[in-house]
Structures are given as structure tokens and as C-alpha cells.
Amino acid sequence: MRVFLGITGASGAPYAARLVDSLAAAECEVGVCASAAGIQVLATELYGDPRLPRDEVLARFTERAGDAVTVFDPHDYSAPYASGSARVDGYVVCPCSMATAGTIATGGEANLVHRAAGAGRRVRRLPVLDGDRGHDRDRR
């Protein structure tokens, strides 16, 4: 199974970490793309340092998944996930900022996360958007 995982700037990095580990354990091929804000969220919520370099954050994030994960730059429109003609079984954006959800809903494509989700929509493989859980904390 081939799955795209987009990571954007919403609270919920532990969910993304568990998801990538679970997909790798299920022997899925996982393509990961994180926006700049997504990198900052991963660095802050998982590693306690929002200033960690992008490459270090992604290396730490994917190390347990090993060869199951391929990381793509947010502006790599040659990635297989950017095209609806590529064989992709699922698209997930986790965590998904509300700005990303709005961009995807309106058909905008400013980066590979948006483009991949749009490609999924065009071939009727609707992306799963896992939104910001900040509101959950506010209710406690």
C-alpha cells in the first residue's frame, strides 16, 4: 500500500509520529512532506526545540520507519504524489492546519501537500484531514 502523509502547522505531531510508525509497521510505502510550519510543530512538540534544522527534524521523525519512508520537499512537484496518475492508495494530512484544510477545499495548490491532496480528490481518493486539536485542550 502506498500512502502520502502531509504534515502542516497544527498541533498534533504525536499523532503524525504514531501514524508514520504504524504505516511502516504495516509495510506501507509512505511519502512524507512537511511544510515549514509543520517542521516547527514537529520540532517543538516531539523534540522540544523549534529551532532544529529541517533535515534533523525529518531524520529523527522518520528514523524508526526506516526505508518505508521517502521524504519530499514541499516544492517537489515531480514527486509521484503530485499526480493523480500515480498509484497511491491513500492521502492523509496530519496534523492539518485550518489554512491547509481551506486551501485544499478550495482547490488551491501552493505546495506538495496541497497538490497531493488535490490529486487524490481528482481521482476520488479523498484525503483524510486530521485537524488541529488545540480546541480539545481548551475544553479541559
Side-chain angles (χ1 to χ4, degrees):
M1 182 177 255
R2 191 178 204 188
V3 179
F4 174 81
L5 172 60
I7 300 167
T8 64
S11 181
Y15 297 101
R18 282 194 292 262
L19 179 59
V20 78
D21 290 346
S22 297
L23 289 170
E27 298 183 2
C28 294
E29 177 185 327
V30 185
V32 171
C33 179
S35 68
I39 292 294
Q40 188 173 6
V41 168
L42 291 175
T44 301
E45 292 184 3
L46 297 179
Y47 312 117
D49 184 356
R51 294 181 308 263
L52 285 175
R54 175 182 189 82
D55 291 342
E56 183 175 343
V57 171
L58 290 170
R60 288 185 187 188
F61 181 74
T62 61
E63 75 182 332
R64 289 197 319 234
D67 293 338
V69 174
T70 304
V71 176
F72 295 93
D73 184 89
H75 301 290
D76 183 1
Y77 293 103
S78 67
Y81 301 96
S83 172
S85 64
R87 187 188 69 74
V88 180
D89 299 298
Y91 300 85
V92 181
V93 183
C94 173
C96 182
S97 68
M98 293 301 103
T100 296
T103 300
I104 291 168
T106 59
E109 296 181 354
N111 60 41
L112 181 58
V113 174
H114 304 149
R115 174 83 181 171
R121 288 179 63 202
R122 286 189 290 280
V123 296
R124 301 194 188 280
R125 287 193 181 90
L126 297 179
V128 174
L129 307 180
D130 186 12
D132 185 350
R133 289 184 164 67
H135 64 281
D136 290 342
R137 288 188 307 270
D138 296 340
R139 289 189 218 172
R140 292 184 193 162

